[in-house]
Amino acid sequence: MNNTQTSHPKLLAVAAAIVIALGGVACSGKSDTAEAGKPADATKTEATKPADAAKSDKAGAAPAVVKAALTVTAVQPSNGSMALKLAANGNVAAWQEASIGAEASGLRLTQVLVNVGDTVKKGQLLATFAGDAVQADVAQAKAALMEAQANAMDATANAERARTLQNTGALSTQQINQYLTAEKTAAARVQAAQATLSAQGVRTQNTQVRAPDSGVISARGATVGAVVGGGTELFRMIRGGRLEWRAEVTSNEIASIKPGAKAMVTAASGAQVEGTVRTVAPTIDAATRNALVYVDLPANAGVKAGMFAKGEFALGAANALTLPQQALVLRDGFTYAMRVEANNKVSQVKLETGRRVGDAVEIKQGAKAGERFVASGASFLADGDTVKIVEAVKTEAQPAGAK
C-alpha cells in the first residue's frame, strides 16, 4: 500500500520532464524557420532599392509644368479716326424774354385772355382794362377841342378886321397887336386841345394789352379785377419760343469752339437735341474762369427753359490709338493694362488715356501698335502671371425663327 502511493509522484515528475523537453524542441524549430526566412526578405528589399532610385532620378530630370493662372483672349490696339468732342454743362434759357406791362394807370382789369404756356402771335389781345373813365375823358377832350376851335375862329375874325383898319388910324397900334396876338393864342389852344384828345385816344388803346411779338407766355401776373399802376408787369413771354443752351467752357477750351459748330445736348428730362453754336461770350467770368457758349436749340417738348443740360461739341476727327474699355484696369487712381509677352506671361503697363467714344478709349501713352493685351479679366491677374491665350469665338446672329 505504501509502495503504490510512493510510485505516483515519480510518474508525474517523469511526465512533466517529457512535456518540457518536447516544448523546447518545438521552440527551437520555430526559431530556425524564422532565421531561414529573414535573409530572403532582406534580399528582395535590397533588390528593389536600385529600381526606386532610378525612378526618382527620372522624375527629378523632368521639367516642372507651370499652370496658367487664367485663360484669356488677346487684343491689339487699333489705330483709326476718332471724333473730337468737348463735353460741357450748362442751363437751358430763353433766347430773349419780353416783359409785357400795363401802360394805363389806375384802371381795373376786366379780362385776362391767355395763360402760361399759351402760344401767341404778334398783336394778339392778351387782356383788357375797364374803359369807362377813359371814354369820359375822351368826350371831355373833344368838347375842349370844339371850344378852342370856336374861340380861334372868333379871334381870327377880329384879327382880320384889325388888319383892315390898320392904315386908317381908327385903332391904335396896341389894339391891333392885341387882336393879332389873340388870334395866335386861340390857334395854339386848338393845337393843345387836339393833343389832349390824342392822348386820350392813346389811353383808350392802352386799355387793351396786346402781344409785342410772337412767342410763348412763360409767366402771368395779371388778375381779373385788380387795379394796377402804370408799368406793372402782367405777362412774360419767350420771344419766338426760341430756347438756347448756355454752356460753361473753361478758358483754355474756348478757342476750339467756333460759331456754327454742332452740339448734341441732353436735357435733364432725357430729351436729346442737336443745337448750333450762335456765338461765344466775349468775356471770361473772373470768379469761375469759365466762358459762356450760346447754342440755339430747336423746338422740343422735352426741353424747357431753366433745365440743366449736358452736351458735347463736335470739333472734327483725328487719328488715335485705342483699346477697348474691358482691357483697362483702374488701380490706385491710375489706368493699367496687362500686356502679353512672348512666353505668355503678363506684365502690368501704366497707360495715359484720353477721349472715350463708345467702348473705345484713346491711349496717349503706354501702348504701341502690334502689342498684345489681355482683352478682359485683367483685374484678376497680377504682374508676372502666366496665361493661356485662346482665339475669340465669333458668333453670328441667326434670323428670327431659325432653329
Side-chain angles (χ1 to χ4, degrees):
M1 188 67 177
N2 292 333
N3 292 334
T4 306
Q5 294 177 348
T6 304
S7 62
H8 283 292
K10 292 181 179 179
L11 291 174
L12 293 174
V14 171
I18 294 171
V19 170
I20 292 171
L22 292 174
V25 173
C27 289
S28 176
K30 289 180 180 180
S31 177
D32 293 341
T33 304
E35 291 295 332
K38 185 175 181 180
D41 295 340
T43 303
K44 184 177 180 182
T45 303
E46 293 296 332
T48 57
K49 284 183 178 179
D52 293 340
K55 291 181 180 180
S56 178
D57 292 341
K58 290 182 181 180
V65 178
V66 179
K67 186 178 180 181
L70 196 66
T71 301
V72 299
T73 56
V75 64
Q76 293 183 353
S78 59
N79 197 349
S81 179
M82 194 173 191
L84 292 173
K85 295 184 178 181
L86 176 63
N89 297 323
N91 296 319
V92 179
W95 166 64
Q96 284 186 358
E97 274 194 314
S99 178
I100 307 172
E103 296 184 66
S105 179
L107 299 180
R108 177 175 51 87
L109 268 173
T110 57
Q111 281 185 313
V112 177
L113 304 176
V114 294
N115 210 334
V116 175
D118 290 347
T119 301
V120 299
K121 296 182 179 180
K122 183 177 181 179
Q124 181 177 334
L125 184 63
L126 306 180
T128 58
F129 288 93
D132 299 340
V134 177
Q135 294 299 328
D137 292 339
V138 170
Q140 185 177 1
K142 288 181 178 180
L145 175 59
M146 293 174 64
E147 181 182 2
Q149 290 174 341
N151 292 333
M153 291 176 63
D154 183 49
T156 301
N158 292 334
E160 287 295 331
R161 285 192 293 269
R163 289 188 187 96
T164 58
L165 299 174
Q166 185 175 6
N167 296 326
T168 61
L171 295 174
S172 64
T173 304
Q174 183 181 3
Q175 289 176 328
I176 294 172
N177 289 336
Q178 288 178 348
Y179 286 122
L180 296 177
T181 302
E183 180 188 22
K184 293 180 179 179
T185 302
R189 288 174 178 171
V190 170
Q191 292 180 353
Q194 289 176 341
T196 301
L197 181 59
S198 297
Q200 295 302 328
V202 172
R203 286 189 63 198
T204 302
Q205 293 178 357
N206 290 343
T207 59
Q208 296 183 337
V209 181
R210 297 185 178 274
D213 198 358
S214 299
V216 179
I217 301 297
S218 58
R220 191 195 81 172
T223 304
V224 174
V227 178
V228 299
T232 302
E233 184 180 276
L234 302 178
F235 304 96
R236 186 172 290 273
M237 181 181 66
I238 300 174
R239 293 189 60 190
R242 289 174 56 183
L243 298 177
E244 64 183 9
W245 178 48
R246 297 175 183 176
E248 293 187 8
V249 180
T250 59
S251 55
N252 60 338
E253 297 172 335
I254 196 68
S256 60
I257 301 176
K258 305 296 181 184
K262 298 297 182 181
M264 184 58 68
V265 182
T266 303
S269 62
Q272 286 189 334
V273 293
E274 185 181 41
T276 305
V277 176
R278 185 177 77 254
T279 185
V280 178
T283 58
I284 305 294
D285 190 309
T288 62
R289 303 300 179 188
N290 291 338
L292 289 179
V293 179
Y294 298 90
V295 180
D296 287 333
L297 301 178
N300 188 292
V303 181
K304 306 291 185 181
M307 277 186 174
F308 172 81
K310 60 183 180 180
E312 291 182 334
F313 294 95
L315 305 179
N319 289 331
L321 196 68
T322 61
L323 275 174
Q325 175 67 40
Q326 295 83 354
L328 306 182
V329 180
L330 188 64
R331 291 176 179 171
D332 301 328
F334 298 98
T335 303
Y336 298 91
M338 291 299 179
R339 183 172 58 199
V340 182
E341 307 296 348
N343 56 356
N344 282 355
K345 288 183 177 294
V346 296
S347 59
Q348 182 174 275
V349 180
K350 185 178 180 180
L351 303 177
E352 180 182 352
T353 60
R355 294 162 289 164
R356 298 172 184 264
V357 178
D359 187 51
V361 181
E362 179 187 11
I363 307 300
K364 292 184 176 180
Q365 190 175 358
K368 298 179 181 179
E371 293 179 335
R372 294 189 305 166
F373 291 88
V374 175
S376 62
S379 58
F380 299 102
L381 298 174
D383 192 16
D385 284 349
T386 301
V387 296
K388 180 181 179 181
I389 306 297
V390 297
E391 295 293 333
V393 179
K394 296 183 179 179
T395 59
E396 295 183 357
Q398 295 183 355
K403 296 183 180 179

